[in-house]
Amino acid sequence: MDASFRRFSDESSLQWSHEVEKSDSCTKHDAKEWYYMMKNEEIGKAMTIKLEFPNGLPKPKPFQEGIRRAPDRGFRLTPAQTEIALKNALRYIPEEYHEELIPEFLEELTTRGRIYGYRFRPEGRIYGKPIDEYKGKCTEGKAFQVMIDNNLDFEVALYPYELVTYGETGSVCHDWMQYLLIKRYLEEITPDQTLVMESGHPLGLFHSKPEAPRVIITNGLMIGEYDNQHDWEIAEEMGVANYGQMTAGGWMYIGPQGIVHGTFNTILNAGRMKLGIPEDGDLGGKLFVTSGLGGMSGAQGKAAEIANCTAIVAEVDASRIKTRLDQGWISGVSDSLPEVIAMAQKSMAEKKGKSFAYHGNIVDLLEYIVDHNIHVDLVSDQTSCHNAYNGGYCPQGLTFEERTKMLAEDPAKFRELVDKTLHAHFEALKKITARGVYFFDYGNSFMKAVFDSGVKEISKNGVDDKDGFIWPSYVEDIMGPQLFDYGYGPFRWVCLSGKPEDLHKTDMAAMSCIDVNRRYQDRDNYIWIRDAEKNKLVVGTQARILYQDEVGRVNIALKFNELVRNGEIGPVMMGRDHHDVSGTDSPFRETSNIKDGSNVMADMAVQCFAGNAARGMSLCALHNGGGVGIGKAINGGFGLVLDGSHRVDEIIRSSLSWDVISGVARRSWARNEHAMETAVEFNKTRHGIGQITLPYLTDEKQIKDAVAKVYPKAHVIKD
């Protein structure tokens, strides 16, 4: 054993149980002997940050009634994998408690499909408290604790006991042992350290510097060979994968407010494109039909009302409908199709923006609309189809309770019924769109789920999904060309003081930075932020979302940081959604309007993540999946704590600009018209500072004629 390793061992209080013969290096045999003879007590002594239970293990606690619980995810591990899953969970716990926990963890695994460690959830309500109420040695460490706890608030999270924030499987971390240890690390982290998070597991603190990220997070990054739903499920059950959904596992969820703005922009622009709504008009008298009132999808009703649109939103889970009613985000509910249609038609006649929940299956609603020739203007869907076979999509003919029971008891039958319902869903939409109604996929992998269920007709080329589908994604038609290509996207912030007055001041500051005469997008965003307080969008922490481009984000962030510096507001956490210009490679959603073949590449997301880390963002996250499912997207996200320092001013100027423009550059290189316009403007205004590579364009007829001549003679290899 070399001297340096012996010194490390001594300094860590690790005692060897026998004398290892001195040599130039530690042999494999020596290492093996050490491994088996090292005591857990000695391992414990080697850590100062760990889970400790001076009063014994926390007692098992009852579950509060009325709180949504995740369904049984199913148990599918082999005996060997089960043993590993058990050992993996016990890694966090001193050996003296293993005997008590083993049967409990096995029971959770075999009946819930996961080891959650329920007894380790802290007593009482978890919520994002004011930052000053948290322990910590730096502002960032306390700020991230605010964000984590907000993600698990009963009023925010979809399944708070299972640590799922939204999207059926989007989790803060894998289990409650991890949660407790993460909190301990965040209490101890200093400005000279970085916490590394790997799929929910806090790997440890590592020396860095104040200019480096305080936290770097990765979630669910499966090796390509195993980057599929089945293998991810096994890894998740074994406790080594976590589906972060970016804003859940990236600790930046602000409740459904985030997607209210996106949905508002989407349906308003859909009205302009397809229904002849003027740029300064609204959707009064128009009917929007969709489904989903859960986490992200819960935004749809509120967004429709803000756009002065009438909406019917189908939802099978009564608890989710109640949540939106209590919030005032929908105006009524009925389980009767004639009644809910009549309610909507009355609202349309009065041109009053109202949303109504249909307590039932979306396919039943669409088939009723077809059979009774009901007039509809816009149609979408926002069920969790990225997770269709694990509870994200409810088969026609089953109640929500029957769905949950079948999911646990007969998953094969459940899958069969999901496929049957997706086929019926497709057929109903075919009939509706044939009447000229505009349908768009709202990024939930609905069309991909239909394709995967066996409906090849939904594919543009009738063979595979590489050329997209017969109906557009909301990004492909609307958000991409009208917003993302210009650099507009959903950046958001949280007032860490928890004071509503701080949020009001940031709203006013943001308004002062918007030039309403520049583009209609700026006018839309000005109206949004002007009315945000009146629309009562806050759920959980005092947070806001606002679509802005690169210039807007930088100016607003600098303004906020100045307010913090002057003591007018407390510190602010800034981040963004993954439905954005950059940071997410997802061919069925965020990059669905990329037509140069690079829609299957994930370079942008990884470069965005790496670039933000290099420029000093407070938190940098890289995730597999997002809202479209494992293997179908890579998300790169960030969080930036505005502490009022001039150091943060420089990060804002460099990193916020990079975070947006890296996406604009990729969209420009794909020959997207508005992205090229934005890139040209960037090159003009940043001469000597930066430059984007621009594509030369080609003559379409020249290209088509050339290919038409050569292709018939070419030897084409068929797979």
Side-chain angles (χ1 to χ4, degrees):
M1 183 173 61
D2 66 21
S4 63
F5 191 35
R6 180 178 289 280
R7 271 198 312 274
F8 176 79
S9 301
D10 291 341
E11 290 166 1
S12 304
S13 302
L14 288 175
Q15 303 297 317
W16 291 76
S17 60
H18 69 297
E19 184 65 23
V20 179
E21 291 183 3
K22 293 181 180 179
S23 62
D24 292 336
S25 62
C26 187
T27 66
K28 289 182 180 179
H29 174 75
D30 292 333
K32 188 175 181 181
E33 286 290 311
W34 173 81
Y35 178 84
Y36 285 112
M37 300 188 77
M38 188 173 55
K39 303 295 185 185
N40 274 325
E41 181 182 356
E42 295 161 351
I43 293 172
K45 287 178 180 177
M47 298 184 291
T48 56
I49 303 171
K50 57 191 174 184
L51 299 188
E52 295 179 277
F53 309 100
N55 301 315
L57 288 176
K59 300 297 182 188
K61 312 169 191 69
F63 297 100
Q64 185 174 318
E65 288 191 18
I67 303 300
R68 281 186 298 270
R69 301 290 309 286
D72 173 10
R73 303 297 189 184
F75 176 64
R76 53 186 59 75
L77 301 183
T78 66
Q81 290 170 334
T82 305
E83 290 174 11
I84 294 172
L86 193 57
K87 290 192 287 185
N88 287 347
L90 292 169
R91 286 187 285 195
Y92 297 100
I93 311 295
E95 185 184 9
E96 63 196 274
Y97 304 114
H98 288 186
E99 186 175 356
E100 181 178 353
L101 289 172
I102 285 171
E104 185 175 311
F105 281 1
L106 279 173
E107 199 270 339
E108 289 180 12
L109 182 61
T110 56
T111 62
R112 307 293 302 181
R114 303 283 188 276
I115 298 174
Y116 293 112
Y118 288 118
R119 73 157 71 207
F120 295 100
R121 182 188 182 277
E123 295 274 7
R125 181 191 172 200
I126 296 175
Y127 66 102
K129 299 184 287 291
I131 188 170
D132 292 340
E133 294 185 25
Y134 289 91
K135 298 177 185 175
K137 296 179 179 179
C138 65
T139 302
E140 294 95 333
K142 293 191 284 186
F144 299 140
Q145 293 181 68
V146 177
M147 304 307 296
I148 289 171
D149 284 354
N150 181 68
N151 276 13
L152 295 170
D153 189 335
F154 283 164
E155 295 181 6
V156 174
L158 177 62
Y159 303 131
Y161 282 115
E162 288 77 34
L163 300 110
V164 173
T165 301
Y166 70 95
E168 200 60 35
T169 49
S171 303
V172 170
C173 53
H174 182 272
D175 53 64
W176 289 104
M177 297 81 76
Q178 289 181 348
Y179 167 87
L180 292 179
L181 190 54
I182 293 165
K183 295 293 289 285
R184 284 285 296 114
Y185 273 115
L186 292 175
E187 289 172 355
E188 297 296 332
I189 194 169
T190 72
D192 295 304
Q193 295 173 318
T194 295
L195 172 63
V196 176
M197 295 289 308
E198 295 183 352
S199 276
H201 168 61
L203 190 71
L205 290 179
F206 297 87
H207 181 68
S208 57
K209 54 186 179 179
E211 294 76 23
R214 293 285 69 74
V215 179
I216 293 181
I217 298 174
T218 54
N219 273 305
L221 300 182
M222 310 289 292
I223 298 295
E225 178 83 8
Y226 305 103
D227 195 7
N228 57 75
Q229 187 72 27
H230 172 76
D231 286 309
W232 167 80
E233 181 64 51
I234 297 296
E236 177 88 5
E237 282 186 55
M238 292 175 70
V240 295
N242 184 63
Y243 197 76
Q245 280 264 29
M246 200 187 95
T247 52
W251 310 339
M252 195 60 208
Y253 188 59
I254 63 168
Q257 176 187 174
I259 201 153
V260 173
H261 195 359
T263 308
F264 164 77
N265 274 328
T266 300
I267 61 175
L268 194 58
N269 280 291
R272 289 165 176 159
M273 291 170 53
K274 303 297 181 178
L275 306 177
I277 304 299
E279 287 187 357
D280 60 350
D282 59 36
L283 293 173
K286 306 299 182 184
L287 179 60
F288 174 47
V289 173
T290 184
S291 60
L293 284 171
M296 289 287 207
S297 60
Q300 297 185 106
K302 185 67 174 178
E305 292 192 354
I306 295 172
N308 200 34
C309 184
T310 299
I312 303 175
V313 189
E315 172 59 66
V316 293
D317 184 352
S319 72
R320 299 184 187 189
I321 295 173
K322 184 178 183 304
T323 296
R324 304 308 169 205
L325 277 171
D326 292 345
Q327 286 175 331
W329 283 24
I330 55 174
S331 299
V333 59
S334 177
D335 58 6
S336 162
L337 285 164
E339 185 178 32
V340 80
I341 294 292
M343 292 158 70
Q345 289 175 334
K346 183 174 184 293
S347 169
M348 291 165 66
E350 296 171 349
K351 293 192 174 182
K352 290 181 178 178
K354 287 187 177 182
S355 293
F356 305 98
Y358 166 58
H359 184 208
N361 197 291
I362 179 63
V363 182
D364 291 336
L365 173 60
L366 294 175
E367 289 177 344
Y368 185 90
I369 287 168
V370 170
D371 293 343
H372 293 81
N373 202 27
I374 307 294
H375 172 79
V376 176
D377 296 286
L378 300 170
V379 181
S380 188
D381 183 86
Q382 210 177 135
T383 51
S384 293
C385 275
H386 66 280
N387 197 38
Y389 302 113
N390 287 304
Y393 187 83
C394 184
Q396 192 177 17
L398 295 186
T399 65
F400 183 71
E401 292 72 24
E402 290 168 341
R403 156 265 195 195
T404 304
K405 189 170 184 288
M406 183 179 288
L407 187 59
E409 296 178 358
D410 194 351
K413 180 66 175 177
F414 184 83
R415 186 182 186 98
E416 179 188 323
L417 292 180
V418 165
D419 285 346
K420 184 180 177 182
T421 305
L422 285 167
H423 291 202
H425 202 152
F426 172 73
E427 291 298 326
L429 285 173
K430 263 202 331 180
K431 293 171 183 174
I432 289 173
T433 55
R435 298 173 181 176
V437 178
Y438 181 63
F439 168 82
F440 57 94
D441 186 325
Y442 202 79
N444 61 335
S445 261
F446 167 73
M447 289 192 292
K448 174 64 169 155
V450 171
F451 178 82
D452 289 344
S453 74
V455 182
K456 304 304 178 189
E457 186 185 345
I458 201 169
S459 162
K460 269 186 186 176
N461 59 29
V463 177
D464 56 35
D465 54 28
K466 290 190 173 71
D467 295 330
F469 302 108
I470 60 173
W471 297 310
S473 151
Y474 79 114
V475 172
E476 190 174 6
D477 253 21
I478 306 167
M479 299 288 276
Q482 300 302 316
L483 292 164
F484 294 171
D485 286 353
Y486 287 107
Y488 291 97
F491 90 109
R492 49 195 175 185
W493 64 91
V494 174
C495 294
L496 295 164
S497 67
K499 296 177 180 177
E501 54 265 36
D502 279 13
L503 185 60
H504 176 77
K505 290 175 183 176
T506 57
D507 285 347
M508 296 300 104
M511 283 174 63
S512 73
C513 295
I514 299 174
D515 178 2
V516 296
N517 297 314
R518 187 173 63 143
R519 298 191 185 108
Y520 78 81
Q521 293 93 334
D522 295 294
R523 184 172 63 251
D524 288 349
N525 293 326
Y526 181 87
I527 293 168
W528 165 269
I529 199 71
R530 182 196 68 191
D531 296 342
E533 196 170 311
K534 177 185 72 177
N535 286 323
K536 298 179 179 177
L537 297 166
V538 171
V539 179
T541 51
Q542 295 294 315
R544 189 71 76 221
I545 191 164
L546 175 63
Y547 272 62
Q548 282 290 283
D549 66 350
E550 179 237 0
V551 171
R553 296 188 210 198
V554 169
N555 288 340
I556 291 171
L558 288 170
K559 185 74 171 177
F560 288 179
N561 203 42
E562 184 183 6
L563 292 177
V564 178
R565 186 159 49 242
N566 295 339
E568 296 179 56
I569 60 173
V572 173
M573 171 71 83
M574 183 164 284
R576 61 163 165 79
D577 202 332
H578 49 114
H579 298 266
D580 202 1
V581 181
S582 63
T584 301
D585 287 299
S586 177
F588 309 114
R589 190 165 66 184
E590 284 87 350
T591 46
S592 57
N593 70 322
I594 300 292
K595 304 294 188 182
D596 68 346
S598 70
N599 60 331
V600 301
M601 306 302 292
D603 294 291
M604 179 179 70
V606 177
Q607 288 284 0
C608 186
F609 162 82
N612 282 333
R615 291 168 176 81
M617 288 292 200
S618 308
L619 179 149
C620 297
L622 189 67
H623 297 241
N624 185 355
V628 292
I630 279 292
K632 299 181 179 70
I634 297 292
N635 305 128
F638 78 88
L640 177 62
V641 178
L642 309 185
D643 61 5
S645 67
H646 292 288
R647 174 182 67 85
V648 168
D649 281 348
E650 291 307 307
I651 295 172
I652 290 168
R653 292 188 180 99
S654 63
S655 205
L656 267 189
S657 175
W658 156 258
D659 190 73
V660 178
I661 293 299
S662 63
V664 171
R666 189 270 181 95
R667 294 169 184 279
S668 170
W669 190 241
R671 297 180 289 273
N672 291 8
E673 180 184 353
H674 297 317
M676 289 182 67
E677 292 170 15
T678 308
V680 167
E681 184 64 22
F682 177 89
N683 285 358
K684 286 179 181 176
T685 58
R686 312 304 164 89
H687 181 69
I689 300 171
Q691 178 184 291
I692 294 169
T693 306
L694 291 160
Y696 292 106
L697 302 178
T698 54
D699 182 289
E700 287 294 309
K701 185 176 184 304
Q702 187 181 31
I703 295 294
K704 286 182 181 296
D705 289 349
V707 173
K709 283 181 184 177
V710 170
Y711 196 83
K713 305 172 188 176
H715 175 65
V716 182
I717 297 171
K718 303 288 186 181
D719 292 332

